[in-house]
Amino acid sequence: MTNADALETLPALDRSSESPMWFQVLRSIESGISTGVWSHGSKLPSEHELREHYRVSRTTIREALSRLEKSGIISRQQGRGAFVDTTQAPSSWTLESAPSLLGQLADGDRSALTSTVLRSGVDVLPPWAAAVFKGDGHGFVLERTRAVGSLTAVHVVNYMPKRFAAVLPSLRDPRASLYVAAEQVLGTRITRMHRTIEAHSADRALARLLEIEEGHPIVVVEAVAYDQDDEPIDFSRASVRTDRMRVTVDSGHNAAGLDARSTSGTYPAR
């Protein structure tokens, strides 16, 4: 397939969209790589060819390529051009019956995902969480983006009782596990989870954080975590880019079948 033919298979730009042109070019090229238009090691069209195809400025093309390079998707070689650096399929987030979120991506006591903390500390809880935790309506709020390698894949917010603010120093490591820290610092062990999975569209704020267009389809996983005393101690909401992380389900049952008590639970009405 020639470069001209390859370019014709890519998503077109929406010139009426509020999304920046460089961002739309980035997503279009990324789509071509993920669908196999270009495989690992393939040379991408030149900046001139990309500029002519998309009818945008050289600055726009260079910004898109720069962002793709920073994400580890392409590499650029002086005098030779840009090459596909990875065609890795999305990682899989398997929602097992085991209590650990993203547990199959664990590496010992550390997560295989890297986290960037956006907000942390004691803050006002949403009314539905405050009603469950009781107290003065405040709790520990942790908001993060999580990446597979250098690719942002998940935005997650956790709401917990105030005492869990004590784990904050343990979360300075970008690969720290929240639940491992809770067990090590507070002696709180997660014994079961209840999860709800829904399809959503990214609003403007989420689109910016997940590096997608506003309205792009995402999957939202809401979860309640219970401790060893069967008390709910964490309500979380994870928004997932499924082109970078697939969400799958594993019942985890054995020959005796599932224990209804260990799999039951409800997310508070909001």
Side-chain angles (χ1 to χ4, degrees):
M1 183 185 297
T2 67
N3 280 340
D5 291 336
L7 288 168
E8 289 302 321
T9 69
L10 303 185
L13 307 187
D14 180 0
R15 298 185 185 275
S16 64
S17 171
E18 294 183 3
S19 296
M21 285 293 121
W22 67 261
F23 183 79
Q24 293 191 52
V25 170
L26 178 154
R27 292 288 289 146
S28 182
I29 295 173
E30 191 179 46
S31 172
I33 293 172
S34 65
T35 56
V37 174
W38 296 292
S39 58
H40 178 76
S42 296
K43 184 178 180 180
L44 293 180
S46 67
E47 289 186 9
H48 175 75
E49 289 172 313
L50 293 170
R51 192 170 72 250
E52 289 293 310
H53 173 74
Y54 289 113
R55 293 185 291 115
V56 295
S57 69
R58 176 177 294 176
T59 301
T60 295
I61 295 299
R62 288 185 172 176
E63 179 68 16
L65 293 177
S66 176
R67 301 276 182 144
L68 287 167
E69 185 176 32
K70 288 178 182 177
S71 295
I73 296 173
I74 69 169
S75 60
R76 291 189 289 179
Q77 302 175 22
Q78 185 68 33
R80 295 193 61 206
F83 295 81
V84 178
D85 214 28
T86 179
T87 53
Q88 182 177 344
S91 298
S92 179
W93 174 7
T94 302
L95 302 186
E96 304 168 337
S97 58
S100 175
L101 285 173
L102 302 169
Q104 80 293 347
L105 293 175
D107 177 14
D109 285 344
R110 303 176 77 214
S111 172
L113 300 184
T114 56
S115 295
T116 299
V117 176
L118 306 177
R119 179 170 53 121
S120 62
V122 175
D123 205 342
V124 177
L125 293 172
W128 46 267
V132 175
F133 295 147
K134 302 182 172 56
D136 61 1
H138 289 70
F140 176 54
V141 180
L142 179 65
E143 179 181 6
R144 297 172 290 173
T145 53
R146 309 198 71 185
V148 180
S150 57
L151 303 178
T152 300
V154 184
H155 170 267
V156 60
V157 184
N158 297 81
Y159 301 103
M160 309 177 80
K162 282 192 289 188
R163 68 180 184 276
F164 285 89
V167 306
L168 261 179
S170 300
L171 300 181
R172 290 175 184 150
D173 178 354
R175 290 181 57 197
S177 163
L178 173 60
Y179 290 165
V180 168
E183 184 167 4
Q184 292 176 344
V185 176
L186 298 172
T188 300
R189 181 169 50 86
I190 307 301
T191 58
R192 66 184 180 99
M193 301 287 299
H194 173 76
R195 301 181 180 98
T196 302
I197 307 172
E198 292 183 326
H200 280 260
S201 298
D203 59 22
R204 179 171 297 183
L206 266 179
R208 177 177 56 82
L209 292 169
L210 293 176
E211 302 170 354
I212 52 179
E213 303 92 338
E214 184 177 355
H216 191 84
I218 58 173
V219 165
V220 172
V221 180
E222 293 184 334
V224 188
Y226 296 81
D227 66 10
Q228 61 266 43
D229 297 320
D230 208 37
E231 292 294 325
I233 52 89
D234 180 31
F235 299 115
S236 63
R237 179 182 174 90
S239 301
V240 185
R241 272 190 65 163
T242 54
D243 58 334
R244 292 182 173 175
M245 178 173 286
R246 295 192 181 103
V247 179
T248 61
V249 177
D250 182 353
S251 65
H253 63 81
N254 55 28
L258 286 170
D259 180 344
R261 180 179 176 278
S262 68
T263 57
S264 64
T266 57
Y267 205 84
R270 290 179 292 167

